[in-house]
Amino acid sequence: DAGVIQSPRHEVTEMGQEVTLRCKPISGHNSLFWYRQTMMRGLELLIYFNNNVPIDDSGMPEDRFSAKMPNASFSTLKIQPSEPRDSAVYFCASSIAGGFRETQYFGPGTRLLVL
Amino acid sequence: AQSVTQLDSHVSVSEGTPVLLRCNYSSSYSPSLFWYVQHPNKGLQLLLKYTSAATLVKGINGFEAEFKKSETSFHLTKPSAHMSDAAEYFCVVNSGAGSYQLTFGKGTKLSVIP
């Protein structure tokens, strides 16, 4: 099993540019999560999809952030326009189901630096 | 509401000595509890999880944790530290009640001294 795949692994961009992060969940998993990790706030859930449908996006910081899941094997997180305070590590995770006993499997993360 | 407190932000042990990483939680329901490990510049890897079966949970790489409801604790232990255990460890709680939400502790950085 390839695990959760994220791309790019590193991204350096300038303030105001659009950033797109990509995620391929584990095959057969129907739940997908996007998290952000910063030193100040730790790990925060941004958005949760179940069967490709956004269930909870209350963690999305503001309208500059958007996420899509067009099919069961692909999701994107987009930031437009990006700001320096968006610099963080963004993780994608997937699980077989969204239930509380299910393990979430994390990807390696995308390290984003906005200058 | 659910929360998790990792009592130490940094723990340092000598190679070959025991490891104890402490975690306390609060939850309105019977929780699921997890320990994840994050090596530098890597993603989070599941070490072990508790989901209301045996209170002593064995994980990968020789780690184990004991769920103590009376103490609301889920401490992570390992009898003998190895250099490769140096990483950051996260205690995570899910309060159940149909929730998918994980609440992460702030992490404990484990250093292993040769």
Side-chain angles (χ1 to χ4, degrees), chain A residues 21-99:
Chain A
L21 311 181
R22 297 173 177 79
C23 174
K24 177 179 170 57
I26 293 172
S27 178
H29 285 192
N30 68 1
S31 294
L32 184 138
F33 307 80
W34 281 101
Y35 290 88
R36 179 171 66 177
Q37 184 181 36
T38 61
M39 290 291 291
M40 292 295 293
R41 300 173 67 91
L43 274 150
E44 305 172 280
L45 177 65
L46 299 177
I47 188 168
Y48 159 53
F49 290 88
N50 185 260
N51 290 321
N52 313 336
V53 176
I55 302 300
D56 181 359
D57 65 355
S58 59
M60 297 286 264
E62 48 198 274
D63 292 345
R64 297 185 297 106
F65 286 69
S66 63
K68 294 182 179 179
M69 192 165 186
N71 57 61
S73 60
F74 184 65
S75 177
T76 60
L77 178 67
K78 186 176 292 186
I79 308 172
Q80 166 62 22
S82 58
E83 296 183 2
R85 60 194 169 119
D86 302 330
S87 298
V89 182
Y90 292 81
F91 288 104
C92 176
S94 70
S95 67
I96 291 175

Side-chain angles (χ1 to χ4, degrees), chain B residues 44-63:
Chain B
L44 283 81
Q45 180 185 18
L46 180 70
L47 275 179
L48 50 81
K49 73 175 184 180
Y50 166 79
T51 57
S52 79
T55 56
L56 182 62
V57 182
K58 294 187 183 299
I60 61 171
N61 301 334
F63 284 94

Side-chain angles (χ1 to χ4, degrees), chain B:
Chain B
Q2 60 192 28
S3 66
V4 60
T5 302
Q6 292 185 242
L7 298 165
D8 306 292
S9 59
H10 190 197
V11 170
S12 184
V13 301
S14 297
E15 190 175 19
T17 64
V19 176
L20 170 63
L21 305 183
R22 299 182 294 166
C23 172
N24 286 107
Y25 70 92
S26 69
S27 174
S28 302
Y29 302 92
S30 179
S32 290
L33 292 155
F34 307 80
W35 276 98
Y36 282 86
V37 60
Q38 184 178 25
H39 287 92
N41 300 318
K42 300 289 187 182
L44 283 81
Q45 180 185 18
L46 180 70
L47 275 179
L48 50 81
K49 73 175 184 180
Y50 166 79
T51 57
S52 79
T55 56
L56 182 62
V57 182
K58 294 187 183 299
I60 61 171
N61 301 334
F63 284 94
E64 63 181 37
E66 186 171 8
F67 173 71
K68 292 187 176 180
K69 185 176 180 179
S70 60
E71 299 176 10
T72 60
S73 69
F74 190 57
H75 301 334
L76 182 70
T77 61
K78 183 173 180 178
S80 176
H82 190 272
M83 294 299 296
S84 60
D85 296 328
E88 189 152 22
Y89 292 79
F90 293 91
C91 183
V92 184
V93 64
N94 184 304
S95 67
S99 172
Y100 50 85
Q101 287 269 7
L102 297 182
T103 298
F104 288 79
K106 293 190 180 299
T108 298
K109 185 175 181 180
L110 176 65
S111 297
V112 181
I113 303 167

